[in-house]
Amino acid sequence: MTSYLSIGDFSRATHMTVKTLRHYHEVGLLEPVDVDPHTGYRRYSAEQIPTAQVVRRFRDLGMPLEEIRTVLAASDIPTRNRHISAHLHRLEEELGRTQRAVAALRGLLSPPASGDSPGIELRSVGAVQAAAITATVEAQDIGAWFQGALGELFATVAGQELRETGHAGGVYADELFTHHRGQATVFVPCDGPVRPVGRVEPLLVPLAELAVIEHCGPPLEVDRAYGTLAAYVARHALAVDGPIREYYVVGRRHTPDSARWRTKVCWPVFRTGVTDRG
């Protein structure tokens, strides 16, 4: 014989509020076994308590209602477990991002290391021939655009049997930082003029005088290097107008471990007279 519980008793049994149970009924996630057509009173069965407890655990893990519905409706255990595993994998990735953010915040809150210019060099870089892709990009899309452009450049240089002569780099207009939308150029230096194909065009990357700092780690944490570099340039009254440059010494192409990536961030400055022999 089925045992029925009022919505209030079911709420107490499952630690879900009445408001939550009504919402789950409305979206078809956890429907009562009976609804009085005259009063609208909802009744649940004791057999629904384990299901409600599973739903509550999934919600505690941040699983969207639609995914919970898919898990509950799975026709077999492997399908159900596959959906659960996918969500757990997303949680692990989010936890990793949170841990990196916490570590970065602790570093920011720590007393600054002694020394006036930690790892900053003044360099003069000469003009170089390169294959390049230029576009106006939204800041929120820069990561995906960058990876696609860089892959296309490497493939084009290799396909035209040209030799790479230096690290890939990027040139970024001020508007990309100040308005989160602006011109971005990614380039790969090579030993001959590239033939235009697709988005790829030949480019003579101009000479520049730069203050340079190296960032180790993923792009999401590069703001610390930018901050340190900007403070140094301002303190020494070196700044001149010009776009920011980056050079990608070690990246996704070399290793999937983003902790090992190395990016040189370059701020335009007055002439230094120091030649970059690299």
Side-chain angles (χ1 to χ4, degrees):
M1 180 177 178
T2 303
S3 300
Y4 295 104
L5 295 87
S6 68
I7 192 170
D9 286 342
F10 196 72
S11 171
R12 284 188 285 272
T14 61
H15 289 197
M16 290 181 178
T17 66
V18 169
K19 181 180 179 181
T20 296
L21 290 171
R22 287 173 178 161
H23 177 61
Y24 288 174
H25 178 198
E26 291 169 359
V27 300
L29 178 62
L30 185 59
E31 299 184 10
V33 294
D34 179 68
V35 179
D36 189 297
H38 302 293
T39 64
Y41 289 165
R42 297 168 172 85
R43 294 197 301 169
Y44 295 83
S45 71
E47 288 75 18
Q48 287 181 287
I49 292 175
T51 300
Q53 291 170 335
V54 168
V55 170
R56 183 165 172 266
R57 295 300 190 279
F58 281 141
R59 289 300 290 152
D60 288 344
L61 289 173
M63 182 179 284
L65 296 182
E66 188 58 41
E67 288 191 27
I68 297 176
R69 185 186 292 109
T70 301
V71 170
L72 296 178
S75 58
D76 56 82
I77 292 177
T79 300
R80 180 196 67 190
N81 290 345
R82 186 165 60 251
H83 288 294
I84 295 173
S85 295
H87 182 69
L88 293 178
H89 179 66
R90 287 193 295 272
L91 287 177
E92 289 171 348
E93 289 184 334
E94 183 177 338
L95 176 61
R97 288 193 295 270
T98 300
Q99 289 173 331
R100 289 192 295 271
V102 168
L105 182 57
R106 283 176 173 161
L108 286 170
L109 296 175
S110 300
S114 59
D116 186 45
S117 55
I120 294 176
E121 297 179 298
L122 299 177
R123 289 293 180 94
S124 175
V125 296
V128 295
Q129 290 188 107
I133 293 177
T134 299
T136 298
V137 186
E138 300 284 344
Q140 63 185 11
D141 301 326
I142 191 69
W145 177 85
F146 169 82
Q147 291 298 336
L150 205 55
E152 190 173 339
L153 287 169
F154 285 133
T156 300
V157 169
Q160 295 189 18
E161 298 184 346
L162 299 173
R163 182 175 60 86
E164 295 174 27
T165 57
H167 299 300
V171 179
Y172 303 104
D174 286 348
E175 291 77 11
L176 196 56
F177 303 94
T178 58
H179 299 295
H180 281 193
R181 186 177 191 274
Q183 189 178 85
T185 297
V186 179
F187 62 87
V188 174
C190 52
D191 63 351
V194 66
R195 298 189 306 277
V197 56
R199 297 184 297 170
V200 179
E201 297 284 345
L203 174 69
L204 182 65
V205 183
L207 59 82
E209 306 294 327
L210 304 168
V212 182
I213 189 172
E214 185 171 272
H215 163 66
C216 297
L220 286 176
E221 300 171 8
V222 76
D223 60 327
R224 295 188 65 184
Y226 269 78
T228 300
L229 191 58
Y232 173 85
V233 170
R235 192 161 56 244
H236 292 82
L238 291 170
V240 296
D241 291 336
I244 291 289
R245 286 194 193 186
E246 293 182 351
Y247 288 94
Y248 308 105
V249 181
V250 178
R252 190 185 303 273
R253 186 189 189 199
H254 307 95
T255 172
D257 182 3
S258 62
R260 296 170 57 192
W261 296 355
R262 292 164 52 213
T263 302
K264 289 188 179 293
V265 180
C266 309
W267 201 285
V269 296
F270 287 109
R271 182 165 181 78
T272 65
V274 179
T275 303
D276 184 352
R277 302 182 186 279

